[in-house]
Amino acid sequence: MPPVPKRVTYLAYRAGALLAQTLPAAVTEPLATGVGRALLRAMPDRRAMASRHLRRAAGDALDARELDAAVAGMFDSY
């Protein structure tokens, strides 16, 4: 997948922030989770980086399933 231009990324964040400010949480929270899960699958390099960082931070405290859930949670919240 080719890299996304910085301007497109910036505009997407701005649009997301505007939506988050104007729509009720009952709409934005499921929408954000859906977008996070889609990006989790669309950005394997970022997913791998997040996984490495969490593994390093948590040490041996997370098994593979817990690590996957934590990475998904990072994408959801971002």
Side-chain angles (χ1 to χ4, degrees):
M1 175 177 235
V4 177
K6 290 181 182 182
R7 181 74 176 158
V8 172
T9 302
Y10 169 77
L11 292 174
Y13 278 111
R14 293 291 295 182
L18 181 62
L19 285 173
Q21 292 172 358
T22 57
L23 296 174
V27 173
T28 58
E29 288 177 8
L31 181 62
T33 298
V35 170
R37 295 299 164 107
L39 291 175
L40 178 69
R41 287 165 182 74
M43 302 172 76
D45 293 342
R46 296 291 174 125
R47 182 178 64 236
M49 180 180 65
S51 182
R52 285 192 309 272
H53 290 188
L54 276 174
R55 190 179 309 112
R56 190 175 305 126
D60 292 329
L62 299 175
D63 64 25
R65 187 175 47 189
E66 292 170 325
L67 181 62
D68 288 344
V71 171
M74 287 176 62
F75 275 77
D76 290 352
S77 69
Y78 199 80

